[in-house]
Structure formats: structure tokens, C-alpha cells
Amino acid sequence: MNFGHWLGRGSAALLLAALAASPAWAQEAAAAAAAAPPAPDKGDTTWMLISSALVLMMSVPGLALFYGGLVRAKNMLSVLMQVLTIVAIAALVWVGWGYSLAFTAGNPFIGGLSKAFLSGVDATTLAATFSNGVYIPEYAYIVFQMTFACITPALIVGAFAERVRFWPLMLFVVLWLTVVYFPLAHMVWYWAGPDFLPNQPGDWGLIYGWGALDFAGGTVVHINAGIAGLVGCLVIGKRIGYNSEPLAPHSLVMTMIGASLLWVGWFGFNAGSNLEANGVTALAFVNTFVATAAAALTWAGIEQLIHRKSSLLGGATGAVAGLVAITPAAGFGAPGTSILLGAVASAVCFFFVAKVKNRFGYDDSLDVFGVHCIGGIVGAIGTGIVAAPSLGGQGFFDYTVLPAVPGTYDIAAQLLIQLKAVALTLAWSGGLSFVLFFVIDKTIGLRPTVDAEREGLDISSHGERAYNL
């Protein structure tokens, strides 16, 4: 280690300690940081770009292969094409108006268009993190959040796989992102930043202002996509042959490859959501690992008890349920409570997939509602418990004080806030998604013809086959 570099860092630490000893000096130092933010740390910037690439990998190839393996061979290519095209569309919409609507000041429900088409953004502009005086390049934040906007609508298609027309689905995606996803992302994640909030009170999204905890997207991504998927499968209707013909997955090998890529990519999804490379990032990484492991084993164990056999499909599905559940809690819980959260979520999701779906008869093709919506709900509510410092959690910080200080944590009060956030997400996404699906279905039509569906969407929609054997 360079001695001069070490000495400089040591001197800076002593100076900061001296300033922190005086509240007035601390306020002045924080205000100075806000007025003239330091250059972004190269380590933080590198981690955010790597995380962005990992989350993109979750969509293509991860989610595409996971979903593709679960459908029949005649629809494999159609699912791959749907996911690929949704990612491409979402990326362009995000740059056009999505980032601005989600992450600029406006009102509690949605931002404005001041940064439409990334107006005013360049290589020198910065985005706040969760630490006073720590920033990353705004482009790094934009591309990271872009990957979330890409994967969320792609999750929805699994609920009505094998029975939806391609271009009407793409139209739905553009409209859904605009009226559902961007406002919800603003409500949950938008705030002025730790250095600016004291001077800009109330500059936050509605759900953030409630104090809801959602580290990486339990509400914005999973409950949002899961309830939209349920609404879509109800509007479109059941697959031809549902409960009367074999509809088994054509390649569990592909599904396993996709699930594995999802797990690896999810470290960027969750740990990247800390926006910095520090101890909390490492905590989110560990929690993502162990909660998923517990969930996969729980699902396999339940299958062994009920069916006397543990399936690969069950293990992979359990792993995804654990990933979903730990998403909102990744940076808040401790590893021990994260294991419990993953196990509980896996058991609840198993019940919905194996029992509730059959009881009510809805054709959620790839269990988007049973895994993503239900797992997201369990995770969002569970976050209110596992985040408690009394249980080893991180609690939350009061950013209206400079520098930020730990807030007083009340589990019961936090659970009520989490429930409110879940309820609003279900109502917002469920209601608006129904309107979009219904209008598109009644105007240009969402469902392919009976002949096209029986032939398979690979040929009828895209003129090619996934396999030519």
C-alpha cells in the first residue's frame, strides 16, 4: 500500500471525526458535500456497471431460457422472441421518457419530463447514493435502473405463455411501462437524496414518503408484474387443452440453465441496489445467496413429503421464489432471518402453485402470480420484520438529518406501512393492467386464432421453429 495514500486517508478520517464531534460543523460539512459533491469512486462505478450487466443477463438469456424450457416445443421460440423484444423496447422507452417520469421531481405519483431523452444528462452529471457525500455517474444509475424496467414486463409474459399475439403484446408493454411501471417506480424509489432531503422536505414518491422498505423491487418488480400477469391470463383465457391435454415443459434442462443464470444475475439485482460497493452490498449478496438456498431446499423437501420425489422443476421454482422474497429485504435483514424468509416464502408459493391455482382454475401458465406476486408479498411484508435491529437487521436511516442518523424502529408500525405499500401496488397494477388488457383485447385482439394456437406460436407468429430435427 502506498504510504502517502494511507496517510492521506488517515488524515481525512481524523478530520471527519473532528468535524463530526460538532453538530454545527457536521451540518456545514454535509451541506458543502451537497453543494460540491466529490468525484464518484471508481469502485462504486465499476460495481454498478457490472451489476447492470448481471441484471441484463437475468432477462436475456436467463428469463428467456427459464420460461422457454417450461413451454411446449412448438412455443419455445415465441417465448424467446417475446422476452428479447420486450427488453429492446423497454430500453428505448426508458431512455425516451421512462427515466424522467420515474426519477425526477414532480408529484408523489410521478415525475416530470425534464430529462426526457436524457436531456441535461452527460458524463459529468451525478446521481446520489444512500450515503452523505457519495455519488455515482448518472449514466451508471440510468443503465442500472434501465435493466429493471426491461425485466419487469418480461416477467409478465409467463402468465399467458403459448396463447398471446406478438405485436399486441408489445403495444401492451409500451403502455404498461408508461402508466403502471414508471409511476410505481417513482412512488417507491424516488427521493431527493441524502444530502438534499433536509432542504427539500417532501421531495419523494408517495410510498417512499410513507417509509416503506423495498431494497430492490419486491413491490415495483415482482408484485407489480405478478398481479399484471394474473389479470392478463384471466382476460386472455385458458390455453386450448388446459386440464385435458398434456402441457408439460419440453426442456427442463433449458429451465435449469435459465434458473441458474437468474440466480447469478440476481446478485447484481439485489446487491447492486445498494448503489455502492460496501458492507451493506456484501450483506445483500450473502442474503441473496442463503435465502435462495433455503427456498430451493424447502420446495424440494415439501415435494418429497407429499409426492415422495423431489423434482428439478420444484427445486428451480423454489429457488426463484426465494430470490423474489429476499429482493425487498436483501439489504435490511440478517443472514439468519433471510434464511427463514426464503423458507417461508417457498412454502407459501408452493401452496399457491399446487393448491390455490387448481382450486380457482386460472391458467397461469408458468406460475408468475404464484411465485412472483405471492413471493413478493411475503417478502415485502417479511421485510418489516427482518429489518428490525432487534433481530439483527439494519433498520432504516433518517435522511432529514445531516448527516443521516438511525431511525427508531417499530416492527408493528413498519408492518402496517409494508401492508399499505403491498395493497397500493396490487390495486394500482391490477386495476390499470386490467384496463390495458381489456381495451387491447377488444380493439385489436390479444388471442391468436385457434388454428394458430394449435400449430404453435413459433410457426404462426414468427415463421420458424426453435428446433429443426
Side-chain angles (χ1 to χ4, degrees):
M1 177 181 291
N2 181 279
F3 180 79
H5 177 67
W6 176 87
L7 180 62
R9 291 188 62 176
S11 301
L14 291 173
L15 176 60
L16 289 175
L19 290 174
S22 166
W25 287 354
Q27 292 282 347
E28 292 173 4
D41 182 85
K42 292 183 179 179
D44 292 339
T45 303
T46 301
W47 169 241
M48 292 310 301
L49 296 177
I50 291 173
S51 294
S52 302
L54 287 171
V55 181
L56 176 60
M57 185 183 74
M58 290 172 63
S59 301
V60 283
L63 182 67
L65 291 175
F66 182 76
Y67 278 177
L70 290 173
V71 300
R72 289 167 290 180
K74 64 182 181 180
N75 294 309
M76 167 69 164
L77 182 146
S78 71
V79 171
L80 300 182
M81 184 62 175
Q82 287 168 13
V83 173
L84 174 66
T85 309
I86 286 172
V87 169
I89 288 174
L92 298 181
V93 170
W94 180 253
V95 169
W97 59 90
Y99 173 67
S100 188
L101 291 178
F103 291 105
T104 62
N107 58 61
F109 296 95
I110 196 166
L113 292 173
S114 61
K115 292 190 177 182
F117 295 92
L118 304 189
S119 174
V121 179
D122 59 35
T124 66
T125 56
L126 303 176
T129 66
F130 298 102
S131 299
N132 294 119
V134 179
Y135 296 81
I136 58 174
E138 190 169 10
Y139 278 135
Y141 185 70
I142 289 170
V143 74
F144 180 68
Q145 287 292 348
M146 180 194 296
T147 60
F148 281 61
C150 290
I151 195 172
T152 304
L155 291 172
I156 299 173
V157 304
F160 40 80
E162 303 192 295
R163 60 191 192 278
V164 66
R165 293 174 60 206
F166 180 71
W167 285 112
L169 175 61
M170 297 307 117
L171 173 61
F172 168 82
V173 167
V174 173
L175 298 175
W176 188 85
L177 283 168
T178 303
V179 304
V180 178
Y181 182 84
F182 300 150
L184 192 59
H186 180 85
M187 286 188 272
V188 174
W189 283 331
Y190 174 74
W191 65 309
D195 295 327
F196 298 94
L197 195 59
N199 296 321
Q200 298 173 228
D203 188 9
W204 50 44
L206 178 68
I207 297 175
Y208 183 94
W210 290 348
L213 302 177
D214 188 350
F215 194 78
T219 52
V220 180
V221 177
H222 297 292
I223 300 175
N224 191 11
I227 191 63
L230 176 64
V231 170
C233 82
L234 293 175
V235 171
I236 294 172
K238 301 175 184 179
R239 285 169 289 181
I240 296 173
Y242 182 68
N243 279 341
S244 63
E245 299 177 7
L247 301 174
H250 88 282
S251 177
L252 289 180
V253 173
M254 290 291 185
T255 295
M256 177 57 187
I257 294 170
S260 302
L261 290 169
L262 282 169
W263 193 347
V264 174
W266 223 292
F267 291 116
F269 196 89
N270 284 356
S273 291
N274 193 48
L275 306 182
E276 304 171 54
N278 58 25
V280 176
T281 307
L283 173 67
F285 202 109
V286 171
N287 288 343
T288 301
F289 211 141
V290 297
T292 308
L297 290 173
T298 297
W299 197 294
I302 293 173
E303 284 190 328
Q304 184 66 38
L305 290 173
I306 295 177
H307 305 301
R308 303 303 179 190
K309 293 179 181 179
S310 298
S311 70
L312 174 62
L313 176 58
T317 304
V320 174
L323 288 165
V324 170
I326 196 58
T327 291
F332 296 117
T337 53
S338 296
I339 290 172
L340 292 176
L341 180 59
V344 169
S346 183
V348 174
C349 289
F350 178 90
F351 174 73
F352 271 82
V353 169
K355 302 296 182 182
V356 174
K357 183 169 75 168
N358 290 333
R359 170 66 179 82
F360 289 95
Y362 56 88
D363 184 13
D364 179 4
S365 305
L366 310 183
D367 294 311
V368 175
F369 175 75
V371 173
H372 289 276
C373 188
I374 298 303
I377 290 172
V378 173
I381 296 172
T383 299
I385 299 173
V386 302
S390 60
L391 298 176
Q394 301 299 301
F396 65 89
F397 281 83
D398 181 0
Y399 292 104
T400 62
V401 179
L402 280 176
V405 297
T408 302
Y409 201 90
D410 182 327
I411 293 179
Q414 191 63 47
L415 281 174
L416 180 59
I417 294 171
Q418 299 299 111
L419 286 168
K420 285 174 57 181
V422 168
L424 179 56
T425 302
L426 290 171
W428 181 272
S429 182
L432 292 174
S433 297
F434 173 77
V435 172
L436 294 176
F437 278 122
F438 183 82
V439 171
I440 293 174
D441 187 48
K442 296 305 179 183
T443 52
I444 60 176
L446 284 167
R447 188 83 183 240
T449 65
V450 172
D451 289 342
E453 187 173 337
R454 287 198 179 278
E455 183 182 28
L457 300 184
D458 288 8
I459 290 295
S460 63
S461 294
H462 305 290
E464 52 190 349
R465 300 182 187 276
Y467 307 103
N468 292 293
L469 302 176

